[in-house]
């Protein structure tokens, strides 16, 4: 398989600096070489960048960096659309605001192919705030609201060519939801599996149901993996830690099942903040998880000393 590595040094959507170093950390951790060892044709397309962005005032005074995030969203929608034509684009972030653009782009590609786009959102947060509802002002908390076509983004973010049907979004690992996001969820058909649901039923059964839906619909599948999906003791390099996340094995099981399904067409790796890491352990873990997604089996995994 052709795997395209696309670096997105975006940190304008987060309050804590450091995510812009994420693409470099993933490269240093050996992502390209690891995927090549699995037989993939890896093409590192370098980092994308935006120029000076216009200032965008908004009635919500809490919002930060609206102009830059809007510019990133427009650029990334085009990049994702273009690079999803062949092979699997792997978008190396960067904070989760990047998914507003990457998902918009791959959704446009899916629509042109006459296929529905499904999104697997692996995250502690739903990221379903609108520009009006966010109290933190951090725009990494709005991408799902944007790419599912919820109101309030008109005149700020670029128009969507193909909004994602909320019924095609499955969130796993959720454990931190603001009241405004709870209210928004009740208006959607998004499937939300919080950590209690995982504890009660196991992640395999929940994911299997979703993958069966994707397969039956003949859809494309975009996976968006946020570091805070994971238990912070396993993956400390994130500025939005929430205790009680997915374990090492739960995360690998998700990736192994995704590989077995053969359905994944694009991938986000987001919120890696190397400044908060411990000797690169989180970056190395993300490389290992990506390897599981792309074919490494349990018996193939090398021993690592962290």
């Amino acid at each position: 398989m052709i795997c395209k590595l696309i670096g997105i040094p975006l940190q304008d959507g987060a309050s804590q600096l450091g995510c812009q170093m994420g693409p470099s950390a993933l490269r240093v951790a050996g992502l390209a070489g690891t995927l090549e060892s699995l037989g993939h044709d890896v093409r590192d397309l370098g980092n994308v960048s935006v120029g000076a962005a216009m200032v965008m005032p908004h009635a919500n005074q809490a919002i930060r960096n609206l102009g830059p995030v809007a510019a990133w969203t427009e650029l990334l929608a085009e990049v994702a659309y273009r690079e999803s034509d062949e092979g699997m684009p792997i978008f190396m972030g960067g904070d989760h605001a990047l998914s507003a653009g990457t998902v918009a782009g791959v959704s446009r590609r899916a629509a042109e192919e006459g296929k529905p786009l499904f999104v697997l959102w692996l995250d502690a947060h739903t990221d379903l705030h609108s520009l009006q509802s966010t109290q933190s002002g951090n725009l990494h908390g709005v991408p799902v609201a944007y790419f599912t076509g919820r109101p309030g983004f008109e005149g700020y973010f670029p128009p969507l060519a193909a909004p994602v049907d909320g019924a095609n979004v499955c969130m796993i690992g959720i454990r931190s939801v603001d009241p405004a996001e709870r209210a928004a969820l009740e208006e959607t058909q998004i499937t939300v599996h919080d950590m209690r649901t995982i504890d009660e039923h196991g992640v395999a059964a929940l994911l299997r149901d979703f993958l069966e839906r994707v397969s039956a619909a003949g859809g494309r599948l975009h996976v968006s993996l946020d570091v805070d999906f994971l238990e912070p003791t396993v993956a400390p390099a994130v500025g939005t830690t929430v205790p009680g996340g997915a374990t090492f094995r739960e995360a690998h099981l998700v990736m192994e099942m995704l590989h077995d399904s053969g359905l994944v067409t694009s991938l986000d790796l987001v919120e890696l903040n190397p400044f908060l890491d411990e000797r690169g352990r989180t970056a190395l873990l993300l490389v290992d998880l990506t390897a599981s997604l792309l074919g490494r089996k349990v018996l193939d995994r090398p021993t690592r000393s962290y």
Side-chain angles (χ1 to χ4, degrees):
M1 176 187 291
I2 297 172
C3 296
K4 301 175 180 178
L5 306 185
I6 302 167
I8 305 172
L10 163 62
Q11 63 181 14
D12 294 302
S15 61
Q16 191 160 359
L17 300 181
C19 283
Q20 71 176 176
M21 299 184 288
S24 294
L26 290 167
R27 291 184 174 105
V28 172
L31 181 58
T34 297
L35 300 185
E36 286 172 346
S37 73
L38 296 171
H40 299 293
D41 178 1
V42 180
R43 304 175 186 180
D44 191 333
L45 305 185
N47 288 356
V48 296
S49 61
V50 294
M54 63 183 294
V55 175
M56 285 187 174
H58 193 277
N60 183 350
Q61 297 298 310
I63 291 179
R64 293 192 293 270
N65 302 321
L66 179 55
V69 173
W72 274 107
T73 300
E74 183 173 13
L75 172 66
L76 294 177
E78 289 300 319
V79 170
Y81 170 74
R82 181 181 69 241
E83 300 303 339
S84 58
D85 183 41
E86 178 189 28
M88 178 187 291
I90 299 175
F91 304 104
M92 306 182 298
D95 71 61
H96 220 159
L98 69 84
S99 296
T102 59
V103 177
V106 296
S107 183
R108 176 185 167 196
R109 172 66 61 192
E112 289 191 0
E113 294 176 349
K115 298 178 180 180
L117 179 71
F118 289 78
V119 177
L120 179 61
W121 195 258
L122 302 173
D123 199 328
H125 308 87
T126 60
D127 293 344
L128 198 59
H129 272 294
S130 68
L131 297 181
Q132 292 80 8
S133 71
T134 176
Q135 295 181 346
S136 71
N138 299 327
L139 294 180
H140 63 180
V142 307
V144 178
Y146 168 69
F147 67 64
T148 56
R150 292 188 61 78
F153 295 91
E154 302 85 355
Y156 299 100
F157 281 27
L160 287 165
V164 178
D165 186 344
N168 292 350
V169 178
C170 178
M171 298 181 170
I172 295 181
I174 302 300
R175 55 195 187 278
S176 178
V177 184
D178 293 336
E181 292 176 301
R182 287 179 181 272
L185 278 172
E186 293 178 358
E187 301 173 354
T188 75
Q189 294 181 290
I190 294 172
T191 299
V192 179
H193 297 307
D194 61 12
M195 288 307 300
R196 174 173 174 171
T197 310
I198 293 174
D199 291 341
E200 291 180 346
H201 301 283
V203 72
L206 304 174
L207 180 57
R208 189 176 296 114
D209 287 345
F210 179 63
L211 293 176
E212 288 173 356
R213 289 177 48 213
V214 179
S215 179
R220 276 179 168 256
L221 176 57
H222 179 84
V223 175
S224 196
L225 173 61
D226 190 313
V227 173
D228 70 22
F229 168 68
L230 297 151
E231 167 59 37
T233 57
V234 174
V238 63
T240 52
T241 55
V242 184
T247 66
F248 177 92
R249 268 308 306 158
E250 284 172 333
H252 272 291
L253 176 59
V254 167
M255 295 300 158
E256 291 158 7
M257 291 179 64
L258 288 170
H259 170 73
D260 292 345
S261 75
L263 295 169
V264 179
T265 51
S266 47
L267 172 68
D268 296 330
L269 300 173
V270 303
E271 296 288 348
L272 173 63
N273 188 333
F275 190 75
L276 304 176
D277 211 354
E278 299 170 359
R279 299 175 61 192
R281 62 184 296 207
T282 308
L284 292 167
L285 176 55
L286 285 184
V287 169
D288 281 348
L289 289 172
T290 306
S292 288
L293 174 62
L294 287 164
R296 180 187 282 169
K297 304 299 182 184
V298 171
L299 294 178
D300 299 334
R301 188 163 297 116
T303 299
R304 288 194 186 275
S305 297
Y306 292 104

